[in-house]
Each structure stands twice: as C-alpha cells, then as structure tokens.
Amino acid sequence: MASVTFKGNPVTLLGNEVKVGYQAPQFSVLANDLSEVTLANTKGKIRLISVVPSVDTGVCDAQTRKFNEEASGLNNVEVLTISVDLPFAQKRWCAASGLENVQTLSDHRDLSFGEAYGVVMQELRLLARSVFVVDSNDQVVYVEYVGEGTDHPNYEEAIEAAKSAK
C-alpha cells in the first residue's frame, strides 16, 4: 500500500491500492441530487478522478478549481471530484464556488470508491488526496497517492496523462 501522512501523522489506508495498467475498479457514489453514480456512467470517456479529504478546505478547494480549469478544455475528459463530504455540502460548495463544470461526488454512504481505490484513511474516515486517470476503456493510465495529505498533487502530470489517454 501507498504510504501517506496527514498533517505529518501516518495514516492507515484501507482498501486495494490501484496501479497503472489495472482495470479500473467499479464503485458507487452519490451525486449532489443523491442519485447513484458508477464508473459505468462515464463509460467511453476519459476520467480524471480527483480525490480530496473535503472540498471545504483550502488545498481541496484549490485542487478542485485547478482540475476544473485545466481539464474543462480537454476533449472527451470528465473530471470527477470525490470526497466523503455529504452531497448537500458538495452542492453548497459548488454553488458558492461558481464552478459549473465540476462533478462532485460523495463516497459518504459506504466508502465504495475509497475501498476500491485504497484511499480510505482509517483514522479519519476521510479519503486520502489522490488522482487517478482512467481511459475510455476503463484502464488506469495514471495514479498519484499524494504522500502528505495537506500537499497538492502533481497537476501537470495528471493533466498530461488525461491529454494522452485514449
């Protein structure tokens, strides 16, 4: 498993670590309207999956805005931001942020995404900051488990992976 700290303290990641070349694990999360969203809902598109502990924090807010800004101009790329924030909080954040191209999804219900991608921080019941790029054939082409939960991901590498994905 990836080694991750949060505010300098080691955390235990639950679930299965995902690596480049893997078939993307299936998951079920909730949209802001409480409808279920699965990996299959975006089949045929390139998915940049941005995982954050909470959209209500500075780094998570910046990460969500950056990927929205960078990826909105990419052809056939859908940006999914996943956290364990309640769908209602995510909806409020989206409205307050003025971002219309962001799809925030909640893994609050059963940590389906977090366990499938190995990003559940057991001690905090939050998701570890990470980025996954899944191509249109559901193949994982980029993975970053951010070593320190309060650090930013490598935006440039993730965007390049999304640009070059088929």
Side-chain angles (χ1 to χ4, degrees):
M1 287 297 288
S3 178
V4 172
T5 59
F6 191 82
K7 295 187 177 181
N9 299 309
V11 293
T12 306
L13 295 183
L14 301 178
N16 303 304
E17 184 174 4
V18 172
K19 296 185 179 187
V20 171
Y22 282 21
Q23 192 69 16
Q26 295 298 318
F27 60 84
S28 173
V29 291
L30 296 175
N32 293 171
D33 64 2
L34 302 179
S35 63
E36 182 179 44
V37 176
T38 66
L39 184 67
N41 289 120
T42 56
K43 187 147 186 76
K45 291 189 173 195
I46 298 161
R47 281 67 48 104
L48 190 155
I49 304 173
S50 173
V51 184
V52 298
S54 174
V55 293
D56 281 324
T57 65
V59 176
C60 300
D61 178 279
Q63 178 175 332
T64 303
R65 289 174 186 276
K66 177 74 171 176
F67 281 131
N68 176 71
E69 174 187 313
E70 294 288 331
S72 63
L74 299 178
N75 191 28
N76 201 37
V77 174
E78 188 157 342
V79 178
L80 309 176
T81 296
I82 301 179
S83 71
V84 294
D85 292 306
L86 291 173
F88 314 111
Q90 291 178 339
K91 184 175 184 178
R92 176 189 42 74
W93 180 88
C94 287
S97 73
L99 299 180
E100 297 174 5
N101 297 324
V102 171
Q103 183 173 10
T104 54
L105 301 168
S106 176
D107 200 21
H108 172 76
R109 183 177 55 186
D110 58 10
L111 300 173
S112 169
F113 176 86
E115 289 179 359
Y117 286 74
V119 295
V120 176
M121 294 187 286
Q122 179 179 11
E123 295 82 357
L124 302 170
R125 200 181 186 281
L126 296 173
L127 302 183
R129 186 176 317 285
S130 49
V131 181
F132 304 89
V133 176
V134 177
D135 72 11
S136 60
N137 295 311
D138 293 345
Q139 186 92 12
V140 178
V141 298
Y142 178 83
V143 173
E144 180 185 9
Y145 291 90
V146 179
E148 165 53 49
T150 59
D151 289 345
H152 288 269
N154 188 326
Y155 298 110
E156 294 77 23
E157 281 188 12
I159 295 298
E160 282 305 312
K163 283 181 182 176
S164 62
K166 306 270 186 257

